[in-house]
Amino acid sequence: IMAELLLDSADPVAKTILGGNVDIDKYIFLIEDTQIKIIEPLLGTELYDKILADKAASTLTGDYLTLFNDYITFIMRYEFVAECLTLISYELTNSGLVKKQPEGYLVVDRDETMRVAQNYSQKAQMYVGRFEKWIGLNPLVEYKLNQDEVDANNNIQLIGGLWFPE
């Protein structure tokens, strides 16, 4: 079961290098992965669940709306693209792992792909830093550093599409 998505699938198409002709089924799972892997640990489960529920109900207001619009969407957008860059050209088929190469295009080598992914990951990291400053000035009752499930982590480090906890 796919979680409610915090980032609309059209957002990265409109606001990043993701092409509009890319089939959504090739990347939609990466939006969910980014949300669960990056946003939930950043916010902690209680605040994450509140943002998720309020977004689904279209009731985000005040500091929660600011948090969503000014931090969550940017972090998700850029880290999602970093993940996409490293995975989207691969497909697991009955023949095994394959890499598609359309005619008329030059396939970018792995080092160049990783440089572009790193660029997007650095953008996401910038918003993680801004979020940490903002949450310190705008305490939300649901934001707790210690919880039963996922702890909010002030040490989120994004590196080339990968998350490395400290």
Short mmCIF file of all heavy atoms in Angstrom, two decimals, residues 8 103 127 150:
data_model
loop_
_atom_site.label_atom_id
_atom_site.label_comp_id
_atom_site.label_asym_id
_atom_site.label_seq_id
_atom_site.Cartn_x
_atom_site.Cartn_y
_atom_site.Cartn_z
N ASP A 8 3.17 16.15 -5.02
CA ASP A 8 2.39 15.80 -6.20
C ASP A 8 3.34 15.35 -7.31
O ASP A 8 4.40 15.95 -7.50
CB ASP A 8 1.60 17.04 -6.64
CG ASP A 8 0.73 16.76 -7.83
OD1 ASP A 8 1.25 16.84 -8.96
OD2 ASP A 8 -0.45 16.44 -7.65
N GLU A 103 17.41 5.57 -28.98
CA GLU A 103 18.17 5.98 -30.16
C GLU A 103 18.18 7.50 -30.25
O GLU A 103 17.22 8.17 -29.92
CB GLU A 103 17.53 5.39 -31.42
CG GLU A 103 17.66 3.89 -31.50
CD GLU A 103 17.08 3.34 -32.78
OE1 GLU A 103 17.11 4.03 -33.80
OE2 GLU A 103 16.59 2.20 -32.72
N TYR A 127 17.92 22.89 2.23
CA TYR A 127 16.61 23.05 2.85
C TYR A 127 16.49 22.29 4.16
O TYR A 127 15.75 22.71 5.05
CB TYR A 127 15.49 22.67 1.87
CG TYR A 127 15.25 23.77 0.87
CD1 TYR A 127 15.84 23.73 -0.38
CD2 TYR A 127 14.48 24.88 1.19
CE1 TYR A 127 15.65 24.75 -1.30
CE2 TYR A 127 14.28 25.91 0.29
CZ TYR A 127 14.87 25.84 -0.96
OH TYR A 127 14.69 26.86 -1.85
N VAL A 150 10.03 6.58 14.92
CA VAL A 150 11.12 7.24 14.20
C VAL A 150 11.46 8.52 14.92
O VAL A 150 10.58 9.34 15.17
CB VAL A 150 10.71 7.56 12.74
CG1 VAL A 150 11.82 8.30 12.02
CG2 VAL A 150 10.37 6.27 12.01
#
